[in-house]
Amino acid sequence: MDKNGEYRFLKACRGEPVDCTPVWFMRQAGRYMKEYRDLKAKYSFLEMCRTPELATEVTLQPLDVLGVDAAIIFADILLPLEPMGTGLEFTAGDGPSIPRPVRTRQDVENLRPVNSEEQLGYVGDAIKLVRKEIAGKLPLIGFSGAPFTLSSYMVEGGKSKEFTTTKLMMYQEPETWNLLMDKVVDVLVDYLKMQVKAGAQALQIFDSWVGCLNPGDYERYILPHTKRVFEGLKECGVPVINFSTGTSSMLPLVHQSGGDVMGFDWRIHLDDARRQIGLDTPVQGNLDPNILFAPIPVIREKVLDILKRAEGRPGHIFNLGHGILQHTPVDHVKAVVDMVHEYRHG
């Protein structure tokens, strides 16, 4: 809350002046916290995602410890894939895998529509529980993956470095690719609307893998579909953050796809990014997560550099350029929150 009793995070999303820069972190609830590891010793990752009480507990874990300006619901970007029919598994050390990857036209046609209220309602239930716990204290962010990132997981069958199978579908079977993206977009819009209905006060769409594309392919194969997600959410009336990684070479194109706030990684200076997308566009970011392992004086130098590059303009939300890494010292994360809150431009 700012001194006027309003959420400074939501004000910054709207590009309004705030008493100090708001800050939250992607993956602020996660493996770097002992409380999370203790819970993870008892339950699998998917069990925690699918059990509203556990997801609520994890969501709340970092809030008082860190003093951040927003909570983000504990879930995973891949949860919608299971009801679509691909299956979803998590293996310790290997991450997510998709047992039935989507490789052919028939595979795409076999994908099922999803009723988010019924099949992903546990996320909505967790949102309702968290809202009860933090009412009047902090706003709650809901989220999903972006169409390309979800589709690439489905085609590759899990994580990928080269995305060769995904790109070949785009190039060789563009009609199949467009059908896949259309189906994913329909699911995502329904899923995100459900989260808002349950009580999410802002949304973030993660395009974690789209940086593997060149600008021309992004414009042709991705932008129209991502744009449809943002357009489908306009009636929700909550700010939506468009976050992507590896997109420094095409931020104006990513900006065209939509969103109220642009989030980007550490591979571009904040002020350079703003000049590309418009100085009045609210932005989020963009500290390299690895810097959180550095000595406190180094962290302070890097944090202050970003805050100075914000130039005191309204509409800056401090965050990392991606999620908090495992083994990150909790006291370093807390120190960043204090540095951001204490900073005053000029």
Side-chain angles (χ1 to χ4, degrees), residues 60-107:
L60 298 175
Q61 283 174 350
L63 302 185
D64 288 337
V65 174
L66 300 180
V68 288
D69 292 294
I72 183 166
I73 196 67
F74 177 75
D76 190 83
I77 63 170
L78 300 182
L79 295 179
L81 300 194
E82 190 166 39
M84 291 184 78
T86 66
L88 175 62
E89 297 174 356
F90 283 85
T91 307
D94 294 328
S97 64
I98 312 303
R100 295 177 291 280
V102 177
R103 301 276 167 79
T104 67
R105 175 81 181 196
Q106 190 61 53
D107 292 338

Side-chain angles (χ1 to χ4, degrees), residues 1-7 11 17 19:
M1 287 278 191
D2 69 7
K3 58 188 177 185
N4 297 317
E6 298 183 75
Y7 294 126
K11 290 180 72 175
D19 59 341

